[in-house]
Amino acid sequence: MTLSDLDDLLAARHSCRAFRADPVPRADIERIVSTARRVPSWCNAQPWQLVITSGAETDAFRAALMEEVQRGTAKPDLGFPSGYSGVYQDRRRTCGWALYEAVGVEKGDRAGSAAQMMKNFSLFDAPHCAIVSSPAELGGYGAMDCGGFVTAFTLAAQALGVATIPQAAVASYAPFLHRYFGIGEDRLILCAISFGYSDTGHPANAFRTERAPLAEFVEWRG
Ligand SMILES: Cc1cc2nc3c(=O)[nH]c(=O)nc-3n(C[C@H](O)[C@H](O)[C@H](O)COP(=O)(O)O)c2cc1C
């Protein structure tokens, strides 16, 4: 494999926010997870654990999550960012506006942007959802290892034509997720990955995000 093959795969992947209903064959999901587990982790601890839903289980989870969001309060296991400033705020706004522009939500349309945000909790209609957790005792480094796993999952999926979106929004309802899936309190729920086949004609899938040039984030010494 060449670097340009990897680059093509990375460039083709994007976060999908509208899925078709047809399921991904179990054998393909197993291939994606088998590939993703190749990522490095500190001491090779491989801290990731997944609960993966399919079919009626995804639909039941989607319904229960949407109900929870109406009445529960968000309480993530891993503290959410306390703020975005400078370039981080700029990049966050740019990708948010790109999404809203694609789906026809005007600037200042709070109801429209809230409705789009709520689609996180219907899992963007994905037929599958993976809940990713890490042992609490491994702290930030366990989360870091799982971040690598999540990225590899998205790339392996892309290689099979399967679309994905990592979702911190789902993890914000961590107490509910612990109860619903029986995930022990000794684990941190980090994010969900909703996945399936892209509804390619949907406006929410019509935009792409940019990346900063190297000069913005590499400091060369020597
Ligand atoms: C850890 C993580 C959590 C994310 N959480 C959400 C989320 O809750 N909702 C959402 O719409 N996108 C979420 N995203 C997707 C990002 O917005 C997306 O990766 C970023 O804008 C870059 O766009 P791209 O994935 O299309 O390249 C998340 C991505 C990551 C890596």
Side-chain angles (χ1 to χ4, degrees):
M1 200 189 65
T2 65
L3 180 57
S4 91
D5 291 332
L6 180 58
D7 211 29
D8 288 349
L9 185 62
L10 278 153
R13 185 217 56 83
H14 66 95
S15 292
C16 177
R17 294 186 179 84
F19 292 87
R20 304 194 323 240
D22 42 322
V24 179
R26 175 69 160 263
D28 284 355
I29 301 177
E30 286 180 12
R31 282 179 74 194
I32 291 165
V33 178
S34 288
T35 297
R37 72 190 163 140
R38 297 275 168 217
V39 293
S41 58
W42 195 4
C43 299
N44 199 27
Q46 305 166 67
W48 41 83
Q49 282 274 329
L50 307 179
V51 177
I52 300 179
T53 67
S54 299
E57 288 282 343
T58 305
D59 290 332
F61 170 52
R62 191 185 342 265
L65 177 62
M66 287 173 75
E67 204 184 311
E68 175 68 19
V69 171
Q70 302 303 329
R71 58 184 165 78
T73 44
K75 193 173 176 295
D77 283 345
L78 192 66
F80 269 24
S82 56
Y84 288 83
S85 50
V87 290
Y88 308 114
Q89 186 182 46
D90 294 345
R91 293 171 190 162
R92 183 174 189 236
R93 282 191 180 143
T94 302
C95 86
W97 283 335
L99 170 61
Y100 293 142
E101 196 178 2
V103 296
V105 173
E106 309 259 326
K107 276 181 197 167
D109 175 1
R110 287 178 179 233
S113 56
Q116 176 58 40
M117 208 286 282
M118 282 300 288
K119 292 189 179 185
N120 271 285
F121 305 112
S122 62
L123 313 173
F124 302 107
D125 294 332
H128 304 280
C129 185
I131 304 294
V132 183
S133 70
S134 175
E137 66 179 356
L138 269 59
Y141 280 94
M144 185 169 168
D145 294 342
C146 287
F149 179 89
V150 168
T151 298
F153 184 111
T154 66
L155 293 173
Q158 178 64 42
L160 290 185
V162 174
T164 56
I165 181 163
Q167 290 178 274
V170 173
S172 63
Y173 289 87
F176 161 75
L177 299 174
H178 280 284
R179 277 197 314 277
Y180 189 87
F181 289 113
I183 298 169
E185 293 299 328
D186 57 343
R187 303 194 68 81
L188 302 176
I189 295 177
L190 302 175
C191 70
I193 311 172
S194 291
F195 64 99
Y197 298 106
S198 176
D199 177 353
T200 52
H202 194 286
N205 290 329
F207 76 98
R208 296 292 179 269
T209 53
E210 298 292 325
R211 295 297 183 266
L214 271 61
E216 279 190 31
F217 65 94
V218 182
E219 186 182 328
W220 302 100
R221 302 282 176 101

